[in-house]
Amino acid sequence: MSPAVAVVASLNVDHIVQAPRIPEPGETLMGFSTSRELGGKGGNQAVAAARLGADVAVIGCVGQDEDGDEYLNALAAEGADVTHVRRSALPTGRAAITVDAEGVNSIVVVAGANADIPAAAAETAIGALPSLRVVAGQLEAAADATERAFAAARERGVLTVLNTAPAADAAGKLLPFSDVVVSNEIEFRQLTGQDPFDGNGLRRGSADLFAAGCRWVIVTLGAEGCAVLDASSSAHVPAVAVRAVDTTAAGDSFVGALAARLAELPGDPITADVVAACGFAAKVAAVVVTRHGAHPSLPTLAEVCAQQEGQPMASRPT
């Protein structure tokens, strides 16, 4: 089938260290273990959507190296369309991740080929996907490419979802083309200067984002769930209570699940649809944080349903 979801994607190889805590500046800690996995916010979002049943196309760039070969093969194995993933002379993106004993992480990303996505090619890709319903993007991939893809999607009436991670100045140029903006509490503060845990601050900050051009603001608040706002109303979606062991791909799985669910709608969403999609995305993220790693933690739809029914789930290998 022709893809209904496209992700302008950062595609990274993650190098992960498990440690008792995140080290202080200048401090050396002894860790527990290391692993190497495929990740990147965009790649995680694309794989999450694909495992949940969406037909997904990936727009991105990897290096002309073994990491790039591995990533393309992995995406194809998930059923994703990789026609619009280019190869670059730059190396495939890398991320260094430290995960503490409580599952909290600290991440440093080296963009590599992710910064080399041709903007014109991203725009062309949107036009080449006739069944497209949702385009998702984040700030790890080339901002110009994401902007051109979002602008082309908007012209076609295709819904755009911007994940403002990692928070950066590039978000400002993308907001006019973003229907849905998804931020965590840190990113929301950096974008708006407001505290999302304060009701007035949440509304003031969201009003700035609406004024910039978006239609819905979603702020993920960790164990507090998420807030969903439009220009005239707000709703709270509770988190699913679980014991977290690694939060590495939680936000990415939320965005991928949100895109997958919104792509299933027969027409333009209303706020109730967005709230319901966030409820589903919260259930997906609750599975992810009980597992280690990025791609290995992302569940299938059957696994999400099993969690809701209280059935045991097999852990994916890390």
Side-chain angles (χ1 to χ4, degrees), residues 3-7 55 57 126 129 131-136 153 157-161 255 258-265:
V5 175
V7 182
D55 293 307
I126 298 301
L129 299 168
S131 299
L132 202 56
R133 302 300 307 277
V134 176
V135 178
V158 172
L159 195 74
T160 54
V161 178
V255 174
L258 178 70
R261 186 52 57 96
L262 292 176
E264 296 174 356
L265 297 174

PDB file of all heavy atoms in Angstrom, residues 3-7 55 57 126 129 131-136 153 157-161 255 258-265:
ATOM      1  N   PRO A   3       2.208   4.633   1.376  1.00  0.00           N
ATOM      2  CA  PRO A   3       2.294   5.070   2.776  1.00  0.00           C
ATOM      3  C   PRO A   3       1.302   6.171   3.133  1.00  0.00           C
ATOM      4  O   PRO A   3       1.046   7.086   2.351  1.00  0.00           O
ATOM      5  CB  PRO A   3       3.736   5.572   2.890  1.00  0.00           C
ATOM      6  CG  PRO A   3       4.472   4.816   1.830  1.00  0.00           C
ATOM      7  CD  PRO A   3       3.502   4.680   0.700  1.00  0.00           C
ATOM      8  N   ALA A   4       0.736   6.063   4.337  1.00  0.00           N
ATOM      9  CA  ALA A   4      -0.145   7.086   4.887  1.00  0.00           C
ATOM     10  C   ALA A   4       0.602   8.015   5.830  1.00  0.00           C
ATOM     11  O   ALA A   4       0.129   9.110   6.126  1.00  0.00           O
ATOM     12  CB  ALA A   4      -1.326   6.440   5.613  1.00  0.00           C
ATOM     13  N   VAL A   5       1.746   7.570   6.339  1.00  0.00           N
ATOM     14  CA  VAL A   5       2.578   8.353   7.262  1.00  0.00           C
ATOM     15  C   VAL A   5       3.964   8.508   6.662  1.00  0.00           C
ATOM     16  O   VAL A   5       4.563   7.527   6.217  1.00  0.00           O
ATOM     17  CB  VAL A   5       2.681   7.672   8.646  1.00  0.00           C
ATOM     18  CG1 VAL A   5       3.657   8.437   9.553  1.00  0.00           C
ATOM     19  CG2 VAL A   5       1.323   7.540   9.304  1.00  0.00           C
ATOM     20  N   ALA A   6       4.464   9.728   6.631  1.00  0.00           N
ATOM     21  CA  ALA A   6       5.858   9.977   6.257  1.00  0.00           C
ATOM     22  C   ALA A   6       6.563  10.631   7.433  1.00  0.00           C
ATOM     23  O   ALA A   6       5.979  11.472   8.126  1.00  0.00           O
ATOM     24  CB  ALA A   6       5.954  10.872   5.023  1.00  0.00           C
ATOM     25  N   VAL A   7       7.796  10.229   7.657  1.00  0.00           N
ATOM     26  CA  VAL A   7       8.605  10.820   8.726  1.00  0.00           C
ATOM     27  C   VAL A   7       9.858  11.411   8.101  1.00  0.00           C
ATOM     28  O   VAL A   7      10.617  10.692   7.438  1.00  0.00           O
ATOM     29  CB  VAL A   7       8.993   9.788   9.794  1.00  0.00           C
ATOM     30  CG1 VAL A   7       9.800  10.461  10.905  1.00  0.00           C
ATOM     31  CG2 VAL A   7       7.751   9.107  10.374  1.00  0.00           C
ATOM     32  N   ASP A  55       1.295   2.293   7.384  1.00  0.00           N
ATOM     33  CA  ASP A  55       2.146   2.223   6.206  1.00  0.00           C
ATOM     34  C   ASP A  55       3.019   3.479   6.212  1.00  0.00           C
ATOM     35  O   ASP A  55       2.502   4.599   6.129  1.00  0.00           O
ATOM     36  CB  ASP A  55       1.314   2.152   4.936  1.00  0.00           C
ATOM     37  CG  ASP A  55       0.542   0.848   4.833  1.00  0.00           C
ATOM     38  OD1 ASP A  55       1.174  -0.216   4.945  1.00  0.00           O
ATOM     39  OD2 ASP A  55      -0.686   0.895   4.676  1.00  0.00           O
ATOM     40  N   ALA A  57       6.559   5.820   5.170  1.00  0.00           N
ATOM     41  CA  ALA A  57       7.690   6.178   4.317  1.00  0.00           C
ATOM     42  C   ALA A  57       8.675   7.004   5.136  1.00  0.00           C
ATOM     43  O   ALA A  57       8.271   7.837   5.950  1.00  0.00           O
ATOM     44  CB  ALA A  57       7.225   6.986   3.104  1.00  0.00           C
ATOM     45  N   ILE A 126       7.224  14.264  -0.699  1.00  0.00           N
ATOM     46  CA  ILE A 126       5.837  14.467  -0.274  1.00  0.00           C
ATOM     47  C   ILE A 126       4.897  14.375  -1.482  1.00  0.00           C
ATOM     48  O   ILE A 126       3.831  13.755  -1.413  1.00  0.00           O
ATOM     49  CB  ILE A 126       5.680  15.839   0.422  1.00  0.00           C
ATOM     50  CG1 ILE A 126       6.540  15.895   1.683  1.00  0.00           C
ATOM     51  CG2 ILE A 126       4.221  16.113   0.758  1.00  0.00           C
ATOM     52  CD1 ILE A 126       6.234  14.852   2.716  1.00  0.00           C
ATOM     53  N   LEU A 129       3.939  10.713  -2.761  1.00  0.00           N
ATOM     54  CA  LEU A 129       3.221   9.794  -1.862  1.00  0.00           C
ATOM     55  C   LEU A 129       1.731  10.136  -1.906  1.00  0.00           C
ATOM     56  O   LEU A 129       1.238  10.941  -1.109  1.00  0.00           O
ATOM     57  CB  LEU A 129       3.775   9.913  -0.441  1.00  0.00           C
ATOM     58  CG  LEU A 129       5.269   9.558  -0.301  1.00  0.00           C
ATOM     59  CD1 LEU A 129       5.806   9.988   1.063  1.00  0.00           C
ATOM     60  CD2 LEU A 129       5.486   8.058  -0.505  1.00  0.00           C
ATOM     61  N   SER A 131      -1.112   8.716  -1.073  1.00  0.00           N
ATOM     62  CA  SER A 131      -2.054   8.360  -0.008  1.00  0.00           C
ATOM     63  C   SER A 131      -1.687   8.974   1.346  1.00  0.00           C
ATOM     64  O   SER A 131      -2.220   8.581   2.389  1.00  0.00           O
ATOM     65  CB  SER A 131      -2.132   6.832   0.131  1.00  0.00           C
ATOM     66  OG  SER A 131      -2.590   6.245  -1.063  1.00  0.00           O
ATOM     67  N   LEU A 132      -0.789   9.938   1.329  1.00  0.00           N
ATOM     68  CA  LEU A 132      -0.258  10.509   2.563  1.00  0.00           C
ATOM     69  C   LEU A 132      -1.338  11.206   3.380  1.00  0.00           C
ATOM     70  O   LEU A 132      -2.128  11.991   2.849  1.00  0.00           O
ATOM     71  CB  LEU A 132       0.851  11.497   2.211  1.00  0.00           C
ATOM     72  CG  LEU A 132       1.891  11.837   3.256  1.00  0.00           C
ATOM     73  CD1 LEU A 132       2.576  10.588   3.771  1.00  0.00           C
ATOM     74  CD2 LEU A 132       2.910  12.792   2.660  1.00  0.00           C
ATOM     75  N   ARG A 133      -1.368  10.914   4.696  1.00  0.00           N
ATOM     76  CA  ARG A 133      -2.309  11.564   5.606  1.00  0.00           C
ATOM     77  C   ARG A 133      -1.613  12.389   6.682  1.00  0.00           C
ATOM     78  O   ARG A 133      -2.159  13.384   7.157  1.00  0.00           O
ATOM     79  CB  ARG A 133      -3.202  10.511   6.299  1.00  0.00           C
ATOM     80  CG  ARG A 133      -4.010   9.634   5.353  1.00  0.00           C
ATOM     81  CD  ARG A 133      -4.963  10.461   4.497  1.00  0.00           C
ATOM     82  NE  ARG A 133      -5.792  11.329   5.298  1.00  0.00           N
ATOM     83  CZ  ARG A 133      -6.926  10.938   5.896  1.00  0.00           C
ATOM     84  NH1 ARG A 133      -7.332   9.692   5.776  1.00  0.00           N
ATOM     85  NH2 ARG A 133      -7.651  11.788   6.595  1.00  0.00           N
ATOM     86  N   VAL A 134      -0.410  11.957   7.092  1.00  0.00           N
ATOM     87  CA  VAL A 134       0.315  12.626   8.179  1.00  0.00           C
ATOM     88  C   VAL A 134       1.798  12.670   7.840  1.00  0.00           C
ATOM     89  O   VAL A 134       2.362  11.670   7.370  1.00  0.00           O
ATOM     90  CB  VAL A 134       0.125  11.889   9.532  1.00  0.00           C
ATOM     91  CG1 VAL A 134       0.971  12.543  10.627  1.00  0.00           C
ATOM     92  CG2 VAL A 134      -1.340  11.854   9.942  1.00  0.00           C
ATOM     93  N   VAL A 135       2.422  13.828   8.065  1.00  0.00           N
ATOM     94  CA  VAL A 135       3.877  13.953   7.980  1.00  0.00           C
ATOM     95  C   VAL A 135       4.396  14.366   9.349  1.00  0.00           C
ATOM     96  O   VAL A 135       3.913  15.346   9.936  1.00  0.00           O
ATOM     97  CB  VAL A 135       4.306  15.001   6.931  1.00  0.00           C
ATOM     98  CG1 VAL A 135       5.829  15.140   6.906  1.00  0.00           C
ATOM     99  CG2 VAL A 135       3.801  14.613   5.543  1.00  0.00           C
ATOM    100  N   ALA A 136       5.354  13.611   9.875  1.00  0.00           N
ATOM    101  CA  ALA A 136       5.953  13.914  11.176  1.00  0.00           C
ATOM    102  C   ALA A 136       7.400  14.334  10.991  1.00  0.00           C
ATOM    103  O   ALA A 136       8.083  13.880  10.060  1.00  0.00           O
ATOM    104  CB  ALA A 136       5.870  12.701  12.101  1.00  0.00           C
ATOM    105  N   ALA A 153       3.288  19.453   2.418  1.00  0.00           N
ATOM    106  CA  ALA A 153       2.173  18.711   3.008  1.00  0.00           C
ATOM    107  C   ALA A 153       0.988  19.628   3.288  1.00  0.00           C
ATOM    108  O   ALA A 153      -0.169  19.278   3.001  1.00  0.00           O
ATOM    109  CB  ALA A 153       2.630  18.026   4.295  1.00  0.00           C
ATOM    110  N   GLY A 157      -3.120  19.653   2.171  1.00  0.00           N
ATOM    111  CA  GLY A 157      -4.066  19.366   3.239  1.00  0.00           C
ATOM    112  C   GLY A 157      -3.677  18.170   4.076  1.00  0.00           C
ATOM    113  O   GLY A 157      -4.522  17.581   4.771  1.00  0.00           O
ATOM    114  N   VAL A 158      -2.390  17.799   4.046  1.00  0.00           N
ATOM    115  CA  VAL A 158      -1.880  16.685   4.844  1.00  0.00           C
ATOM    116  C   VAL A 158      -1.485  17.208   6.222  1.00  0.00           C
ATOM    117  O   VAL A 158      -0.821  18.244   6.342  1.00  0.00           O
ATOM    118  CB  VAL A 158      -0.670  16.031   4.153  1.00  0.00           C
ATOM    119  CG1 VAL A 158      -0.010  14.991   5.053  1.00  0.00           C
ATOM    120  CG2 VAL A 158      -1.092  15.405   2.835  1.00  0.00           C
ATOM    121  N   LEU A 159      -1.884  16.506   7.266  1.00  0.00           N
ATOM    122  CA  LEU A 159      -1.618  16.919   8.644  1.00  0.00           C
ATOM    123  C   LEU A 159      -0.124  16.837   8.937  1.00  0.00           C
ATOM    124  O   LEU A 159       0.536  15.863   8.569  1.00  0.00           O
ATOM    125  CB  LEU A 159      -2.386  16.020   9.605  1.00  0.00           C
ATOM    126  CG  LEU A 159      -2.530  16.506  11.053  1.00  0.00           C
ATOM    127  CD1 LEU A 159      -3.556  17.642  11.112  1.00  0.00           C
ATOM    128  CD2 LEU A 159      -2.968  15.356  11.954  1.00  0.00           C
ATOM    129  N   THR A 160       0.417  17.847   9.616  1.00  0.00           N
ATOM    130  CA  THR A 160       1.834  17.863   9.987  1.00  0.00           C
ATOM    131  C   THR A 160       1.980  17.830  11.499  1.00  0.00           C
ATOM    132  O   THR A 160       1.263  18.513  12.225  1.00  0.00           O
ATOM    133  CB  THR A 160       2.536  19.112   9.431  1.00  0.00           C
ATOM    134  OG1 THR A 160       1.835  20.288   9.842  1.00  0.00           O
ATOM    135  CG2 THR A 160       2.574  19.069   7.908  1.00  0.00           C
ATOM    136  N   VAL A 161       2.929  17.023  11.968  1.00  0.00           N
ATOM    137  CA  VAL A 161       3.180  16.841  13.404  1.00  0.00           C
ATOM    138  C   VAL A 161       4.649  17.145  13.659  1.00  0.00           C
ATOM    139  O   VAL A 161       5.538  16.426  13.171  1.00  0.00           O
ATOM    140  CB  VAL A 161       2.854  15.408  13.865  1.00  0.00           C
ATOM    141  CG1 VAL A 161       3.178  15.234  15.347  1.00  0.00           C
ATOM    142  CG2 VAL A 161       1.390  15.060  13.591  1.00  0.00           C
ATOM    143  N   VAL A 255       5.143  10.007  19.657  1.00  0.00           N
ATOM    144  CA  VAL A 255       4.907  10.727  18.405  1.00  0.00           C
ATOM    145  C   VAL A 255       4.564   9.757  17.280  1.00  0.00           C
ATOM    146  O   VAL A 255       3.651  10.007  16.480  1.00  0.00           O
ATOM    147  CB  VAL A 255       6.142  11.578  18.039  1.00  0.00           C
ATOM    148  CG1 VAL A 255       5.973  12.222  16.666  1.00  0.00           C
ATOM    149  CG2 VAL A 255       6.370  12.657  19.098  1.00  0.00           C
ATOM    150  N   LEU A 258       1.042   8.571  17.834  1.00  0.00           N
ATOM    151  CA  LEU A 258       0.115   9.666  17.534  1.00  0.00           C
ATOM    152  C   LEU A 258      -0.082   9.792  16.035  1.00  0.00           C
ATOM    153  O   LEU A 258      -1.220   9.887  15.539  1.00  0.00           O
ATOM    154  CB  LEU A 258       0.672  10.964  18.113  1.00  0.00           C
ATOM    155  CG  LEU A 258      -0.130  12.241  17.856  1.00  0.00           C
ATOM    156  CD1 LEU A 258      -1.429  12.226  18.643  1.00  0.00           C
ATOM    157  CD2 LEU A 258       0.706  13.471  18.238  1.00  0.00           C
ATOM    158  N   ALA A 259       1.021   9.787  15.271  1.00  0.00           N
ATOM    159  CA  ALA A 259       0.926   9.895  13.818  1.00  0.00           C
ATOM    160  C   ALA A 259       0.160   8.726  13.223  1.00  0.00           C
ATOM    161  O   ALA A 259      -0.685   8.900  12.330  1.00  0.00           O
ATOM    162  CB  ALA A 259       2.326   9.979  13.218  1.00  0.00           C
ATOM    163  N   ALA A 260       0.445   7.510  13.722  1.00  0.00           N
ATOM    164  CA  ALA A 260      -0.238   6.324  13.207  1.00  0.00           C
ATOM    165  C   ALA A 260      -1.734   6.401  13.440  1.00  0.00           C
ATOM    166  O   ALA A 260      -2.539   6.081  12.549  1.00  0.00           O
ATOM    167  CB  ALA A 260       0.341   5.070  13.849  1.00  0.00           C
ATOM    168  N   ARG A 261      -2.126   6.822  14.622  1.00  0.00           N
ATOM    169  CA  ARG A 261      -3.550   6.877  14.948  1.00  0.00           C
ATOM    170  C   ARG A 261      -4.259   7.998  14.177  1.00  0.00           C
ATOM    171  O   ARG A 261      -5.366   7.820  13.673  1.00  0.00           O
ATOM    172  CB  ARG A 261      -3.724   7.040  16.463  1.00  0.00           C
ATOM    173  CG  ARG A 261      -5.158   6.962  16.972  1.00  0.00           C
ATOM    174  CD  ARG A 261      -5.912   5.737  16.509  1.00  0.00           C
ATOM    175  NE  ARG A 261      -5.322   4.458  16.844  1.00  0.00           N
ATOM    176  CZ  ARG A 261      -5.661   3.736  17.910  1.00  0.00           C
ATOM    177  NH1 ARG A 261      -6.569   4.196  18.743  1.00  0.00           N
ATOM    178  NH2 ARG A 261      -5.104   2.557  18.110  1.00  0.00           N
ATOM    179  N   LEU A 262      -3.625   9.161  14.057  1.00  0.00           N
ATOM    180  CA  LEU A 262      -4.238  10.264  13.312  1.00  0.00           C
ATOM    181  C   LEU A 262      -4.367   9.930  11.822  1.00  0.00           C
ATOM    182  O   LEU A 262      -5.305  10.377  11.157  1.00  0.00           O
ATOM    183  CB  LEU A 262      -3.416  11.541  13.489  1.00  0.00           C
ATOM    184  CG  LEU A 262      -3.431  12.158  14.897  1.00  0.00           C
ATOM    185  CD1 LEU A 262      -2.498  13.365  14.956  1.00  0.00           C
ATOM    186  CD2 LEU A 262      -4.839  12.556  15.323  1.00  0.00           C
ATOM    187  N   ALA A 263      -3.440   9.115  11.294  1.00  0.00           N
ATOM    188  CA  ALA A 263      -3.499   8.741   9.885  1.00  0.00           C
ATOM    189  C   ALA A 263      -4.683   7.833   9.580  1.00  0.00           C
ATOM    190  O   ALA A 263      -5.088   7.692   8.424  1.00  0.00           O
ATOM    191  CB  ALA A 263      -2.203   8.053   9.473  1.00  0.00           C
ATOM    192  N   GLU A 264      -5.251   7.214  10.605  1.00  0.00           N
ATOM    193  CA  GLU A 264      -6.394   6.319  10.418  1.00  0.00           C
ATOM    194  C   GLU A 264      -7.711   7.068  10.289  1.00  0.00           C
ATOM    195  O   GLU A 264      -8.722   6.477   9.877  1.00  0.00           O
ATOM    196  CB  GLU A 264      -6.495   5.339  11.593  1.00  0.00           C
ATOM    197  CG  GLU A 264      -5.313   4.387  11.710  1.00  0.00           C
ATOM    198  CD  GLU A 264      -5.399   3.540  12.974  1.00  0.00           C
ATOM    199  OE1 GLU A 264      -6.333   3.763  13.772  1.00  0.00           O
ATOM    200  OE2 GLU A 264      -4.538   2.665  13.148  1.00  0.00           O
ATOM    201  N   LEU A 265      -7.731   8.350  10.644  1.00  0.00           N
ATOM    202  CA  LEU A 265      -8.980   9.106  10.625  1.00  0.00           C
ATOM    203  C   LEU A 265      -9.460   9.319   9.195  1.00  0.00           C
ATOM    204  O   LEU A 265      -8.657   9.523   8.291  1.00  0.00           O
ATOM    205  CB  LEU A 265      -8.784  10.456  11.316  1.00  0.00           C
ATOM    206  CG  LEU A 265      -8.411  10.411  12.803  1.00  0.00           C
ATOM    207  CD1 LEU A 265      -8.099  11.811  13.306  1.00  0.00           C
ATOM    208  CD2 LEU A 265      -9.542   9.792  13.625  1.00  0.00           C
TER     209      LEU A 265
END
